């Protein structure tokens, strides 16, 4: 049972604007403390997104200062202002932001364990359990989706400033929109734990590896630090195979199966907003899967 002060906090977290810093702050109830868990208000979500974006901006500047002060002497390529900005972006923003959502996803990995058994692929319980997975609100999932949305917001700005290209812009748009729909109206949150949390581990390593790319990163950095580049490459390939090649298709199979099951239903929960959101998510799932193979 919740203590009286805990109920009071949860009851007000939907009405009083709050920066959501802990998983418990995503566990709201109605004013009487009877219905829940419920999602936090959009105002609190926007405040928290702004807070996370600010943290990423501060982190970026701190990394620039750190590289200038302590790393510029390591090699001539580290003493170039543009290169310092590139490193700060890929490490202090991309690496840190994606590592955060990955860790938050991993903290809730137990929620997904039943979907990775051989028995689960028979989908014998899909008519009853599928709708539950789509409609059940999970505080941990909302936390992951919010952090992911905040990162995509900062990353979209950086993509435009650095002129990364249209493919990256499309990726951030679809990924950000999918994360938002997972929060509001709030569907398929359980799958957000993987697709926008755990599955980002390979991306985290890839962002660090991007520093060694002559076009997206720093020309000559690979020759300057070949061992670090090799270690990151091995980490990326290993994690990509394990998570993106093996687990990703399995959970995509369940996600699409549950979405199709829900879209066939006509209960009070299957509103037009929910159905449109699921169709957008399915489209985003297909496009993001295609994009990752193109890259």
């Amino acid at each position: 049972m919740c203590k009286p002060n805990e109920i009071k906090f949860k009851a007000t977290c939907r009405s009083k604007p709050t920066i959501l810093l802990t998983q418990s702050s995503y566990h709201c109830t109605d004013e009487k403390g009877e219905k829940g868990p419920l999602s936090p208000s959009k105002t609190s979500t926007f405040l928290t997104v702004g807070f996370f974006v600010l943290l990423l901006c501060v982190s970026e500047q701190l990394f620039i200062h750190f590289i200038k002060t302590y790393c510029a002497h390591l090699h001539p390529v580290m003493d170039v202002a543009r290169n310092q900005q590139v490193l700060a972006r890929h490490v202090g923003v991309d690496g840190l932001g994606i590592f955060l959502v990955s860790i938050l996803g991993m903290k809730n990995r137990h929620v997904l364990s039943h979907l990775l058994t051989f028995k689960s692929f028979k989908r014998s319980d899909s008519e009853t359990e599928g709708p539950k997975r789509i409609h059940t609100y999970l505080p941990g999932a909302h936390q992951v989706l919010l952090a992911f949305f905040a990162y995509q917001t900062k990353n979209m700005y950086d993509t435009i400033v650095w002129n990364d290209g249209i493919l990256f812009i499309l990726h951030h748009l679809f990924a950000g929109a999918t994360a938002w729909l997972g929060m509001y109206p709030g569907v398929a949150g359980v799958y957000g734990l993987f697709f926008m949390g755990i599955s980002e581990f390979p991306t985290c390593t890839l962002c660090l590896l991007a520093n060694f790319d002559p076009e997206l990163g720093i020309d000559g950095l690979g020759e300057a630090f070949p061992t670090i580049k090799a270690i990151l490459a091995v980490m990326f390939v290993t994690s990509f195979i394990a998570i993106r090649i093996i687990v990703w298709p399995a959970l995509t199979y369940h996600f699409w199966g549950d979405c199709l099951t829900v879209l066939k239903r006509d209960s009070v929960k299957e509103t037009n907003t929910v159905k449109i959101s699921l169709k957008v998510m399915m489209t985003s799932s297909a496009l993001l899967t295609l994009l990752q193979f193109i890259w």
Side-chain angles (χ1 to χ4, degrees):
M1 293 181 62
C2 297
K3 297 178 182 179
N5 61 330
E6 290 177 332
I7 293 178
K8 182 178 180 180
F9 169 75
K10 293 177 183 179
T12 58
C13 72
R14 283 176 62 86
S15 56
K16 182 180 179 181
T18 307
I19 295 178
L20 310 165
L21 298 180
T22 63
Q23 186 167 313
S24 62
S25 62
Y26 294 82
H27 192 299
C28 302
T29 67
D30 61 2
E31 291 300 322
K32 295 182 179 180
E34 296 173 350
K35 296 180 180 180
L38 302 174
S39 62
S41 67
K42 291 181 181 178
T43 303
S44 294
T45 294
F46 278 123
L47 278 175
T48 310
V49 167
F51 177 74
F52 282 148
V53 170
L54 178 61
L55 284 183
L56 290 175
C57 292
V58 171
S59 173
E60 185 176 24
Q61 295 305 311
L62 288 175
F63 265 88
I64 291 176
H65 175 73
F66 177 82
I67 295 167
K68 283 182 178 179
T69 306
Y70 300 104
C71 303
H73 68 280
L74 297 177
H75 194 277
V77 296
M78 304 288 286
D79 199 24
V80 179
R82 180 190 177 280
N83 293 347
Q84 294 168 355
Q85 294 170 358
V86 169
L87 282 168
R89 177 193 176 189
H90 289 317
V91 180
V93 177
D94 296 337
L96 179 63
I98 294 176
F99 182 72
L100 172 63
V101 297
S102 301
I103 292 299
L104 291 175
M106 283 298 294
K107 285 179 62 179
N108 296 273
R109 63 189 181 277
H110 60 280
V111 181
L112 297 164
S113 59
H114 69 287
L115 293 173
L116 296 175
T117 63
F118 288 109
K119 182 180 179 181
S120 69
F121 289 95
K122 297 180 180 179
R123 296 191 57 80
S124 57
D125 62 349
S126 61
E127 293 297 324
T128 55
E129 296 302 316
K132 289 182 182 179
R133 286 191 287 266
I134 293 296
H135 292 300
T136 299
Y137 171 73
L138 299 173
H142 195 109
Q143 185 180 30
V144 168
L145 292 169
L146 189 153
F148 184 84
F149 183 84
Y151 165 68
Q152 291 299 333
T153 301
K154 174 68 168 79
N155 206 9
M156 174 63 83
Y157 170 80
D158 290 342
T159 293
I160 295 173
V161 170
W162 287 88
N163 194 28
D164 290 340
I166 187 64
L167 279 181
F168 287 93
I169 292 176
L170 289 175
H171 173 272
H172 302 328
L173 283 174
F174 278 104
T178 303
W180 182 262
L181 294 174
M183 293 187 288
Y184 305 102
V187 289
V190 64
Y191 291 105
L193 290 172
F194 174 76
F195 290 110
M196 296 173 183
I198 298 170
S199 73
E200 291 300 311
F201 268 115
T203 311
C204 181
T205 311
L206 183 62
C207 287
L208 300 179
L209 196 58
N211 288 305
F212 298 89
D213 185 272
E215 295 182 4
L216 298 176
I218 300 171
D219 190 16
L221 190 65
E223 290 75 16
F225 303 98
T227 303
I228 296 177
K229 180 181 178 181
I231 292 173
L232 290 174
V234 171
M235 291 174 61
F236 168 69
V237 171
T238 303
S239 61
F240 187 86
I241 292 174
I243 296 176
R244 295 296 183 100
I245 301 298
I246 298 175
V247 182
W248 181 290
L251 288 180
T252 298
Y253 167 75
H254 286 301
F255 169 67
W256 274 70
D258 288 351
C259 286
L260 292 173
T261 298
V262 168
L263 289 172
K264 293 176 183 177
R265 286 161 46 101
D266 195 28
S267 72
V268 66
K269 291 185 177 181
E270 277 75 53
T271 63
N272 288 334
T273 301
V274 167
K275 289 185 176 182
I276 292 173
S277 297
L278 290 177
K279 290 177 181 178
V280 171
M281 285 178 151
M282 292 171 73
T283 303
S284 179
S285 170
L287 290 175
L288 292 175
T289 300
L290 178 62
L291 279 176
Q292 82 173 5
F293 284 108
I294 290 176
W295 285 339

